[in-house]
Amino acid sequence: LEPALSWEGTSKYGEMNLDYGIDVAAQSTTDISTIPRRIWGRARQRIANWDLAARADIDSQTGNAARVILDAGNDDLDLKIQLDGNAALATAGRTPADTFALSRIQLVKGLENEEGSRLTVNPRYDMVNREADIVLAWKTGDINVEITASADTQKLKLSKRIDDDNWVSPTVDSKGDVTLEWDHRIDNDSSFTAKIKPQDSVDVKWKDKEWTASVAMPIDGREVSGANVHISREVKF
């Protein structure tokens, strides 16, 4: 087990909202540089009907670089744009802004009809691997349909609400892989999710108010072995 503690805070600077946090290792060590695992901060502000946000994450395992995410959203246009990249923290004679390298860009556009059905179109481009795909999602009543398509793979996910507390979601892709997911709402603060990939894995997640338990179990033939268990608790100060 590798226990960790997370702390988050918020503040305001003029019209700008600031969020920040840190994840630290909760274990004995003589190397204090390994205690912080992740430090992050985000600034948010609304300008001319656009909700703008910039977030930076520094992971102690990745070295002298920060992941930077820039978001822009307009509810009137039902449009969201996201830029994802990396920036060096300390380079001689250069600021992090000078070293920013864009790695991923995506756009989400929503469309609704008079009957309340909703279509979202989400083109994405990975600039590092030079790969593009698109996600089309259609929601009407108790049924959600999601199609993800790239040049190499296509995937179809169908979600059906059985009642107020249960959803069933089978997924199939062009390679023949099948996934079955069941989402169950226990109450407003508790839920249970099970995901089964035949011949691959079984994943279970149970959220009970502040506590969350996740279990990932690989499948080898007919045997389930090597379970990975993760338990966390949200503590508010």
Side-chain angles (χ1 to χ4, degrees), residues 142-194:
D142 296 335
I143 298 177
N144 295 343
V145 180
E146 182 178 284
I147 299 174
T148 304
S150 67
D152 301 321
T153 306
Q154 296 77 46
K155 181 172 67 174
L156 171 64
K157 180 178 181 180
L158 175 64
S159 300
K160 168 66 177 175
R161 184 171 67 180
I162 306 302
D163 53 37
D164 290 341
D165 299 323
N166 294 279
W167 282 83
V168 176
S169 306
T171 302
V172 61
D173 64 26
S174 56
K175 297 180 180 179
D177 294 330
V178 177
T179 302
L180 180 61
E181 184 173 346
W182 171 44
D183 293 293
H184 173 63
R185 185 178 72 93
I186 301 172
D187 55 39
N188 291 334
D189 299 316
S190 304
S191 61
F192 177 85
T193 302

Side-chain angles (χ1 to χ4, degrees), residues 27-223:
Q27 56 189 10
S28 176
T29 179
T30 57
D31 184 2
I32 61 173
S33 65
T34 64
I35 295 179
R37 292 185 175 178
R38 184 172 66 98
I39 302 173
W40 63 271
R42 179 177 62 174
R44 296 176 288 116
Q45 186 172 354
R46 185 174 180 83
I47 300 177
N49 295 330
W50 285 88
D51 294 313
L52 307 177
R55 173 171 176 144
D57 284 73
I58 302 173
D59 190 329
S60 62
Q61 305 298 318
T62 59
N64 190 31
R67 181 185 178 188
V68 179
I69 300 176
L70 307 177
D71 288 292
N74 189 311
D75 291 337
D76 295 334
L77 300 176
D78 204 343
L79 177 67
K80 294 181 180 179
I81 303 171
Q82 184 179 88
L83 305 178
D84 194 336
N86 294 280
L89 298 180
T91 303
R94 305 180 70 187
T95 67
D98 296 328
T99 63
F100 178 74
L102 187 62
S103 59
R104 187 177 178 87
I105 182 172
Q106 65 174 320
L107 178 149
V108 181
K109 172 63 179 176
L111 302 166
E112 292 189 10
N113 61 22
E114 296 179 353
E115 289 74 27
S117 298
R118 178 175 174 81
L119 172 69
T120 58
V121 182
N122 177 203
R124 306 180 296 191
Y125 185 67
D126 185 335
M127 304 184 72
V128 176
N129 299 308
R130 297 184 179 180
E131 295 177 348
D133 67 357
I134 187 170
V135 181
L136 302 175
W138 174 258
K139 181 179 181 181
T140 177
D142 296 335
I143 298 177
N144 295 343
V145 180
E146 182 178 284
I147 299 174
T148 304
S150 67
D152 301 321
T153 306
Q154 296 77 46
K155 181 172 67 174
L156 171 64
K157 180 178 181 180
L158 175 64
S159 300
K160 168 66 177 175
R161 184 171 67 180
I162 306 302
D163 53 37
D164 290 341
D165 299 323
N166 294 279
W167 282 83
V168 176
S169 306
T171 302
V172 61
D173 64 26
S174 56
K175 297 180 180 179
D177 294 330
V178 177
T179 302
L180 180 61
E181 184 173 346
W182 171 44
D183 293 293
H184 173 63
R185 185 178 72 93
I186 301 172
D187 55 39
N188 291 334
D189 299 316
S190 304
S191 61
F192 177 85
T193 302
K195 182 185 294 185
I196 302 175
K197 297 180 181 180
Q199 308 301 319
D200 184 86
S201 63
V202 176
D203 297 330
V204 176
K205 182 178 181 180
W206 178 30
K207 187 179 186 304
D208 185 10
K209 297 179 175 60
E210 297 87 359
W211 287 95
T212 301
S214 301
V215 181
M217 298 172 286
I219 298 177
D220 185 6
R222 296 183 178 180
E223 296 183 357

